[in-house]
Amino acid sequence: MIMVYCEQRNGELLNVGLELIGKAAQLSKDLDREVVAVVCGNKITHLAEKLANYGATRVIALQHPLLEKYTVDGYTEALYQVVQSENPDILLIGATLTGRELGPRLAARLKTGLTADCTNLEIDPESKLLLMTRPAFGGNLMATIICPNKKPQMATIRPGVFPIPQADTQRTSEVYVFTPKLREEDIKVKVEQVIAKVRRHKDISAEKIIVAGGRGVGSKENFDLLEELAELLGGGIAGSRAAVDEGWLPKDLQVGQTGKVVRPKLYIAIGISGAIQHLAGMQESEYIIAINKDPEAPIMKVADLAIVGDWKPIVKRLIQQLKQN
Ligand code: FAD
């Protein structure tokens, strides 16, 4: 069995869980195993039903009043109990902030290994082991890791690396409620209140159009022009690590290996060279436009439309045109 932990926050399923169900469904064909989705919380059976639409063969609603708010103790214990009961061959978790916290604790409890922050998963045709690929040595090479003789084989996977499968609302699957045995005293950390951070920007992984800037944009003030272009196009802004390191953009707008993975319909890369670590976060975009004064910049090779020149007059003209239309 391939088990996928599908994270919910405030009663909303995160996309990464759906992405992982899609990938697990592909892997299950090579393994001939069922895909079981697990969603954890309190009164969450309606979410479990939704997961069936995305390709899970079976859905487990892991629920208990003590799981109302996320706590690492409570969720680790609850997942531990469900894994003990179901005995999956593979367990996949999204590498979100909570997934990165839960995964290693759960692996330690289960006495198995964990490959963290993976960017690809395959099944080895001979050994039938899960091949878990992740960047290593500062991103200079991609390491493929196996976990033989241990069960489950566990991985956390970066959000956005796999597409969300098409939902089929006709598709249903068995939904099973699992009530873990939890005691209040087992949960050492009590969450009193969750205060949401006020964000000026949307989550870039959800944007359909992204206008991204790099060091070539030149200054924080120049990003106002990129923001204006993004607004006219109905999208959001993002940037390279160089732009973030310069302090021109907040870290949650960084695209790439150590930032977010995005796959919008349109990605406009302005003054970005296209280092391998940046490409890792955006090359799956549907249509890429690059504006760069260097025709040899690596970004020009992945671009569907490469515009050679100084970005500022080009962007100003684009803004002017869009305002006229
Ligand atoms: P540069 O490489 O300096 O490129 C600037 C570009 O702007 C050039 O191509 C130049 O021709 C062009 N330009 C300059 N002036 C103009 C102008 N007026 N008009 C048009 N074009 C102009 N990087 C990421 O982006 N994301 C990551 O997540 C990430 N993770 C990393 C992880 C590791 C372990 C390491 C080692 C590096 C990582 N990096 C990451 C850094 C990456 O290697 C590059 O250094 C970075 O992406 C470069 O950013 P840039 O393209 O904005 O800047």
Side-chain angles (χ1 to χ4, degrees):
M1 170 205 305
I2 305 179
M3 184 176 271
V4 179
Y5 169 65
C6 296
E7 187 178 333
Q8 58 92 15
R9 238 176 253 172
N10 304 321
E12 300 265 343
L13 288 166
L14 299 196
N15 284 347
V16 65
L18 310 179
E19 294 159 14
L20 294 183
I21 291 181
K23 185 64 188 177
Q26 265 179 23
L27 299 176
S28 71
K29 289 189 192 126
D30 298 328
L31 266 187
D32 197 20
R33 294 278 194 279
E34 60 172 349
V35 176
V36 176
V38 179
V39 58
C40 189
N42 189 28
K43 300 191 184 130
I44 34 97
T45 41
H46 62 291
L47 295 180
E49 278 152 20
K50 199 171 160 197
L51 286 170
N53 300 159
Y54 287 90
T57 352
R58 207 149 53 84
V59 185
I60 298 176
L62 182 56
Q63 54 182 22
H64 193 286
L66 288 172
L67 299 173
E68 173 82 37
K69 291 200 181 103
Y70 169 80
T71 59
V72 71
D73 297 338
Y75 274 51
T76 305
E77 179 57 34
L79 280 167
Y80 175 74
Q81 290 181 24
V82 90
V83 171
Q84 289 289 78
S85 144
E86 295 285 333
N87 196 20
D89 302 279
I90 292 172
L91 174 57
L92 307 178
I93 299 177
T96 60
L97 275 181
T98 51
R100 285 170 197 217
E101 185 179 42
L102 268 175
R105 281 176 186 244
L106 190 55
R109 289 282 307 272
L110 294 163
K111 297 193 170 41
T112 184
L114 171 92
T115 307
D117 220 17
C118 294
T119 52
N120 197 23
L121 301 171
E122 301 292 338
I123 297 293
D124 177 46
E126 273 178 31
S127 65
K128 297 289 178 196
L129 284 170
L130 182 65
L131 304 175
M132 300 171 275
T133 303
R134 53 153 297 152
F137 293 102
N140 290 315
L141 59 85
M142 299 304 282
T144 297
I145 294 167
I146 52 167
C147 182
N149 311 323
K150 292 278 181 195
K151 213 176 161 187
Q153 302 163 76
M154 275 183 73
T156 58
I157 300 93
R158 295 180 62 173
V161 295
F162 302 125
I164 299 175
Q166 197 81 27
D168 175 359
T169 48
Q170 304 301 313
R171 203 177 177 287
T172 54
S173 51
E174 190 194 331
V175 175
Y176 164 55
V177 175
F178 185 104
T179 311
K181 290 188 184 64
L182 293 178
R183 293 175 313 165
E184 201 143 7
E185 55 270 32
D186 294 334
I187 300 171
K188 294 178 192 72
V189 176
K190 301 274 176 281
V191 179
E192 298 286 344
Q193 197 187 357
V194 179
I195 302 167
K197 186 172 154 192
V198 181
R199 284 171 189 266
R200 212 177 113 231
H201 301 283
K202 271 208 295 186
D203 177 8
I204 49 169
S205 357
E207 296 283 9
K208 298 269 182 292
I209 296 175
I210 293 179
V211 178
R215 202 192 321 263
V217 170
S219 70
K220 192 171 185 161
E221 292 66 44
N222 281 343
F223 264 89
D224 290 347
L225 274 174
L226 270 60
E227 197 137 16
E228 194 177 351
L229 176 62
E231 212 161 284
L232 284 164
L233 292 168
I237 61 161
S240 68
R241 175 153 144 187
V244 171
D245 287 349
E246 292 284 354
W248 301 339
L249 287 177
K251 172 86 175 93
D252 58 354
L253 295 186
Q254 180 184 317
V255 170
Q257 187 190 305
T258 41
K260 297 237 168 91
V261 178
V262 296
R263 45 171 75 223
K265 287 196 177 306
L266 174 63
Y267 189 90
I268 308 180
I270 302 173
I272 294 178
S273 58
I276 184 100
Q277 297 90 351
H278 186 80
L279 299 183
M282 47 65 70
Q283 60 191 355
E284 296 297 322
S285 304
E286 252 174 60
Y287 197 88
I288 300 170
I289 300 178
I291 308 176
N292 200 302
K293 64 179 186 185
D294 175 8
E296 301 300 326
I299 192 85
M300 303 308 235
K301 295 192 179 63
V302 300
D304 298 284
L305 176 65
I307 304 173
V308 181
D310 181 15
W311 70 271
K312 213 177 209 174
I314 299 167
V315 168
K316 280 188 172 165
R317 252 180 89 184
L318 264 171
I319 292 175
Q320 207 182 4
Q321 285 284 325
L322 286 164
K323 278 184 174 165
Q324 276 169 14
N325 290 342

